């Protein structure tokens, strides 16, 4: 099983980025994005069920970020709009075999992709 995240970069405040995470090897019940800012603990951002019928978002990103999945190519997305400097972090995709989206004990993690938002 491998999760490969991409799409990070440098963007100005108010801009947009779209992260992708390709999952290979199998499918899972829950796919999620977490992030970790410098000196901070890793925190939950958003999660989606395999079918996409259940989604959850952290309050800090609700209304600005959208999580989506493509079952055809087993890819997880995170569309990030209206980015703020406080969104700066390394973003990780993750997958687990049950539906417990906010718990951080996921079975598999991607390598992370850096998002930097300048003011």
């Amino acid at each position: 099983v491998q999760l490969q995240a991409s799409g990070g970069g440098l963007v100005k405040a108010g801009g947009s980025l779209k992260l992708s995470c390709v999952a290979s090897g199998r499918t899972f019940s829950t796919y999620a994005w977490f992030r970790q800012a410098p000196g901070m603990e890793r925190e939950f951002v958003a999660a989606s069920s395999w079918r996409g019928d259940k989604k959850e978002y952290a309050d800090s990103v609700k209304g600005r970020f959208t999580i989506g999945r493509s079952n055809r190519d087993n890819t997880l997305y995170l569309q990030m709009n209206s980015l703020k400097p406080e969104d700066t972090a390394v973003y990780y995709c993750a997958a687990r075999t049950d539906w417990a989206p906010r718990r951080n004990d996921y079975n598999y993690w991607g390598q992370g992709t850096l998002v930097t938002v300048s003011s």
Side-chain angles (χ1 to χ4, degrees):
V1 176
Q2 188 173 16
L3 301 177
Q4 185 72 34
S6 62
L10 174 64
V11 64
K12 291 184 178 180
S16 298
L17 276 177
K18 186 175 184 178
L19 306 183
S20 299
C21 176
V22 179
S24 60
R26 59 164 289 177
T27 58
F28 295 88
S29 295
T30 304
Y31 297 82
W33 291 97
F34 284 75
R35 66 186 181 187
Q36 187 168 20
M40 305 291 287
E41 292 188 356
R42 188 161 53 190
E43 65 174 359
F44 169 79
V45 175
S48 172
S49 61
W50 178 78
R51 290 186 178 86
D53 57 334
K54 293 184 287 187
K55 296 181 181 180
E56 290 197 13
Y57 296 91
D59 288 343
S60 59
V61 307
K62 202 172 293 184
R64 300 187 298 122
F65 291 11
T66 302
I67 190 170
R69 270 191 39 76
S70 169
N71 288 337
R72 181 185 63 182
D73 52 11
N74 209 13
T75 300
L76 178 71
Y77 301 99
L78 185 68
Q79 177 66 48
M80 305 185 295
N81 299 328
S82 302
L83 282 161
K84 305 175 181 179
E86 50 264 43
D87 294 319
T88 295
V90 177
Y91 283 71
Y92 298 90
C93 57
R96 66 184 302 138
T97 56
D98 59 348
W99 176 250
R102 296 177 185 266
R103 289 177 51 175
N104 61 8
D105 58 342
Y106 275 65
N107 302 100
Y108 298 96
W109 294 86
Q111 86 286 7
T113 184
L114 176 63
V115 173
T116 303
V117 184
S118 63
S119 57

